[in-house]
Amino acid sequence: MKPKARYHVVPHVPEPLQALKRLAYNVCFSWKDDIWDLFQRVDPGLWASCSHNPVLMLGLVSQERLEELSRDQGFLAQLERVGDGFDRYLSHPRVQAMDYCPEAPFQVAYFSAEFGLADCLPIYSGGLGVLSGDHVKSSSDLNVPLVGVGLLYQQGYFNQYLSSDGWQMETYTVNDLANMPVTQVRDHDGAPLTVSVDFKGEPVQVLIWRIDVGRVPLYMLDTNAEENPPEIRSTTSQLYGGDREMRLKQEIVLGIGGVRALKALGIEPTVIHMNEGHSAFSALERINILRKEKQLSFDEAREIVLAGTVFTTHTPVPAGNDVFDVDLMRTYLEPYARELGIHFKVLLGYGRVEPRNESENFGMTPLALRLSAYSNGVSRLHGKVSRRIWKEVWRRHPVEDVPIEHITNGIHVPTWISREMGALFDRYLGPDWAEDPDNERLWRRIEEIPATELWLAHERCREKLIGFARLRLVEQMKNRGAGTAQLQAAGEVLGTGALTIGFARRFATYKRATLLYRDPDRLARIMSNPDRPVQIIVAGKAHPQDDEGKAFIKHIVHLARDERFRNRIVFLEDYNLHVARNLLSGSDLWLNTPRRPLEACGTSGMKALANGSLNLSVLDGWWDEGYHREFGWALGHGEVYEDTEAQDAIESRDLYNLLEEEVVPLFYQRGRDGIPRGWLEKMRAGLRHLVPLFNSHRMVLEYVSRYYRPCSVRYNALRRDNFQGARDLAAWRRKLMTSWQDVAVQDVSAGNGVEMEVGRDLEVTAKINLGSLAPEDVTVEAYYGRLDEHGDFSERETAGLEVIDSAGGIHTYSGAIPCSHSGRFGYTVRVTPSRNRLENRFMMGLVRWA
């Protein structure tokens, strides 16, 4: 039975409390403790039971309680104080948006398939979504002119529970958007604002919702519109759910629909940042709009779009890079290719590593790489790995020149630190520390925190974690029908003073969640020492289709039931932001055991670090660049093994050795005051040296200075004078593509075998035939560096060569290579398209070597 009419019932909030509604619809409550405390004061029990959702709570709290609060002078004073602070935050930023790029219009649109913002918005699955949420939050704090674009899932990611045998089971809860901090975007007449995309030639209506994240609006797309048939309405039902066709449809909605939504909202981004390849179709749609509205050719429009696009890849694991078969692409995208003015085979070529390989499927990552001015990995090591993975896209260049850089991820520190640590930072770093967490000078004040205060704050967090884990375990046991004795035992697990190891992440197999448990007997000896007890709290979800990951969970759960570990290993179900915050703030040691180099970054360790926890991790992701023995421990020395079984055996033994010989003794090495001074100094060193680097304020500012601002300047330059810059660049690029076969390095003054003294310069001369091209069309360089034992470059640098003579179509170039160090070196000469004409001269794949 369908209703004749629909209506919403909203809470009647008394006039003195109206500010609560405004505060409820901005997710600042997820990182500003004063707003959180205000809502908690309304009804502490209800606040917890509704997953810290202020909109839902205001709809559930009794009218009597609201009337009572409207007469409570203490509450009203608190509400006024919090409201004034919130208004100041929104209206008085420390940096004006226009200051980021005063010479040109500047607007960033940040696209991501998931955003981890708050407990009450379950539209994320893991690290990618949490990173997106932190990126948006820091953009708000820094007042970067940025909007977000994502998908508003009706069910989101799954809820996890375990069967009696420890096997992961999944349930999906329908998100009640009417009771979440989201608002539907409407047009001037009050009707829902929609845009349209095509599935198999049929129009699909896409609704637009808005989530306010501080100063940043986040626009979320939803296909659950009444005009759409049921099978289409479910397109945005589940995050990473369904088959490949469902994934393709979601990415059409995100990329093509997202650009159309921005246009409908009157937002014209100068930069689109594609956070992972899910939104790569956004570049095609921007080309499409320019062709239709400005009568540009595909090539001319591409120049503008390429100049204003940034792409971040997040995973070296194949499953994280979406690939679609050609027939599926033909069904959904062949008409769109015609709309773009290109042949379908040309579109397929953009998504192939080898464009002319007709047996290769279409990949979103190659598409994003080819249509972005800048591409980056999310840690130094991940950038290196990504260049190796995608080097065949630029097969004429050595792997070092593959145009994939890195910007290491960071965390939004105010979101992730405990109340206890936040209070210490307020006291000793100053009340404004949260607005400047990347200031290294500020973090030197960590040395001023007395050892007693720092340690007691951490111990309090551990005690809270143990209490939280006990309560959660009791609830898990109740849900499985446990008896009174079992529930009582569950309420007494763990100890408040024991060394507590935290391990929480996706149970992807490469993360090796079971490495610590390979030798249960040895682990039992480590954990059961009555004078130096050790305990482990584990959480995490396996993908619903990953049976091997589920088997890892089952193995740990079964081991936790072993008498030797019954009170020392706990698995917490349904890992989410709330569980993460408790676990990160109360763990003494954060354990991470990925198979190097498959962990792109691994930001959970950064969150633990900001809470004073120490890291023990494989040298992978961020820890490869953050590790120093002053801050924590490294598992291995950066080795990469061919034999994974041998690797697991070796590294598990190393892990046990570290725990036995270094970690546990240091934790229990106490002074007369009961404080582990050596452990505390590692905590202090990590807070001082690493938090200023591995935070999302630093990360966002790096994106602004290295990518967003240069992209905006170039994007605006190409649009001037009726897009003449784009037309000229497209014509020049065509000239290079058709004339490059005539370019040749004809002669180089080799200097083979010559000996040079340190401090001298080696003179280099090369004769270059440029055919129909001119010297200003190319960049000529000496490519030099130290040689390894095989005579290959082990490192490389470049030195520019300049034209000194031109005759008969042959151009003579000359320059000098500095001889700064002794050793065995070599050089060659390279010709590439002009670095002055292209934002990235390696993108075209054109190069000539001597």
Side-chain angles (χ1 to χ4, degrees), residues 413 417 421-430 433 437 439-455 609-612 680-692:
V413 180
I417 61 164
M421 293 301 291
L424 284 181
F425 295 165
D426 286 345
R427 193 177 311 139
Y428 290 97
L429 274 62
W433 70 267
N439 187 319
E440 294 188 42
R441 179 178 49 80
L442 180 94
W443 287 88
R444 293 177 195 158
R445 300 178 194 165
I446 286 292
E447 302 296 336
E448 300 173 13
I449 302 178
T452 302
E453 286 193 55
L454 184 57
W455 185 246
L609 163 77
N611 282 285
L680 195 73
E681 287 312 305
K682 282 184 178 288
M683 289 173 55
R684 199 191 298 272
L687 290 168
R688 174 181 170 179
H689 294 286
L690 298 185
V691 175

Side-chain angles (χ1 to χ4, degrees), residues 327-581:
D327 288 339
L328 185 61
M329 286 292 297
R330 179 175 290 108
T331 301
Y332 281 88
L333 274 302
E334 188 170 28
Y336 188 68
R338 289 194 293 269
E339 198 174 329
L340 289 167
I342 58 175
H343 195 280
F344 179 60
K345 287 185 177 180
V346 174
L347 175 59
L348 291 177
Y350 273 95
R352 286 170 167 160
V353 173
E354 299 181 43
R356 293 178 176 83
N357 181 0
E358 295 192 3
S359 64
E360 183 182 340
N361 287 327
F362 182 93
M364 298 296 280
T365 300
L367 175 66
L369 290 170
R370 286 198 170 94
L371 292 177
S372 299
Y374 298 101
S375 299
N376 69 283
V378 290
S379 69
R380 182 177 61 198
L381 179 59
H382 180 231
K384 181 179 179 180
V385 170
S386 297
R387 287 190 290 274
R388 190 174 70 244
I389 291 173
W390 300 107
K391 62 183 174 60
E392 290 303 309
V393 176
W394 298 276
R395 59 181 56 224
R396 296 185 181 92
H397 293 286
V399 66
E400 295 84 2
D401 292 339
V402 168
I404 301 176
E405 302 172 335
H406 83 273
I407 290 181
T408 302
N409 283 344
I411 63 159
H412 186 247
V413 180
T415 291
W416 292 105
I417 61 164
S418 65
R419 291 294 185 91
E420 289 75 9
M421 293 301 291
L424 284 181
F425 295 165
D426 286 345
R427 193 177 311 139
Y428 290 97
L429 274 62
D432 296 329
W433 70 267
E435 294 187 41
D436 196 13
D438 63 326
N439 187 319
E440 294 188 42
R441 179 178 49 80
L442 180 94
W443 287 88
R444 293 177 195 158
R445 300 178 194 165
I446 286 292
E447 302 296 336
E448 300 173 13
I449 302 178
T452 302
E453 286 193 55
L454 184 57
W455 185 246
L456 288 178
H458 179 68
E459 286 205 307
R460 175 60 181 145
C461 290
R462 189 191 321 114
E463 291 169 0
K464 288 171 66 175
L465 168 61
I466 302 310
F468 172 82
R470 288 170 175 170
L471 286 172
R472 199 162 180 98
L473 187 60
V474 167
E475 287 301 312
Q476 292 173 196
M477 301 290 284
K478 280 182 180 178
N479 292 337
R480 288 200 288 271
T484 303
Q486 289 176 302
L487 294 178
Q488 182 175 344
E492 297 172 355
V493 299
L494 307 172
T496 56
L499 170 60
T500 303
I501 300 174
F503 182 97
R505 52 195 32 87
R506 286 187 303 115
F507 267 66
T509 51
Y510 75 87
K511 293 179 181 285
R512 298 191 298 176
T514 56
L515 188 71
L516 181 61
Y517 312 100
R518 280 181 64 93
D519 188 343
D521 293 334
R522 189 171 181 188
L523 181 61
R525 290 195 298 272
I526 294 171
M527 299 183 69
S528 60
N529 185 326
D531 297 321
R532 302 191 307 191
V534 177
Q535 56 198 16
I536 305 168
I537 305 178
V538 186
K541 297 177 178 179
H543 189 279
Q545 298 171 6
D546 184 4
D547 285 347
E548 193 173 355
K550 292 181 180 181
F552 280 5
I553 294 174
K554 179 179 176 181
H555 177 71
I556 294 172
V557 170
H558 278 233
L559 199 66
R561 294 172 182 171
D562 186 305
E563 193 60 40
R564 296 171 295 176
F565 304 108
R566 190 177 298 275
N567 293 316
R568 302 190 185 279
I569 299 178
V570 168
F571 187 94
L572 301 181
E573 296 176 10
D574 205 24
Y575 185 45
N576 57 27
L577 296 180
H578 184 51
V579 173
R581 274 191 292 269

Side-chain angles (χ1 to χ4, degrees), residues 233-370:
R233 295 180 67 167
S234 65
T235 299
T236 54
S237 179
Q238 294 179 3
L239 173 60
Y240 304 144
D243 55 14
R244 303 308 301 165
E245 183 174 4
M246 180 63 77
R247 180 68 68 86
L248 179 60
K249 290 193 292 186
Q250 288 184 343
E251 295 182 357
I252 289 171
V253 173
L254 176 61
I256 298 174
V259 172
R260 292 177 181 177
L262 292 175
K263 182 171 177 55
L265 291 161
I267 299 170
E268 183 176 352
T270 56
V271 184
I272 279 187
H273 184 174
M274 302 184 297
N275 192 43
E276 198 52 278
H278 308 115
S279 57
F281 292 138
S282 62
L284 296 177
E285 179 57 20
R286 293 175 86 195
I287 292 172
N288 192 26
I289 290 174
L290 285 169
R291 287 189 71 254
K292 289 180 176 178
E293 296 186 354
K294 308 300 180 182
Q295 290 73 53
L296 300 179
S297 69
F298 179 90
D299 289 345
E300 292 163 350
R302 183 195 57 203
E303 297 298 344
I304 297 172
V305 171
L306 193 151
T309 305
V310 176
F311 168 57
T312 299
T313 177
H314 280 266
T315 175
V317 179
N321 295 279
D322 285 337
V323 175
F324 302 107
D325 68 59
V326 173
D327 288 339
L328 185 61
M329 286 292 297
R330 179 175 290 108
T331 301
Y332 281 88
L333 274 302
E334 188 170 28
Y336 188 68
R338 289 194 293 269
E339 198 174 329
L340 289 167
I342 58 175
H343 195 280
F344 179 60
K345 287 185 177 180
V346 174
L347 175 59
L348 291 177
Y350 273 95
R352 286 170 167 160
V353 173
E354 299 181 43
R356 293 178 176 83
N357 181 0
E358 295 192 3
S359 64
E360 183 182 340
N361 287 327
F362 182 93
M364 298 296 280
T365 300
L367 175 66
L369 290 170
R370 286 198 170 94

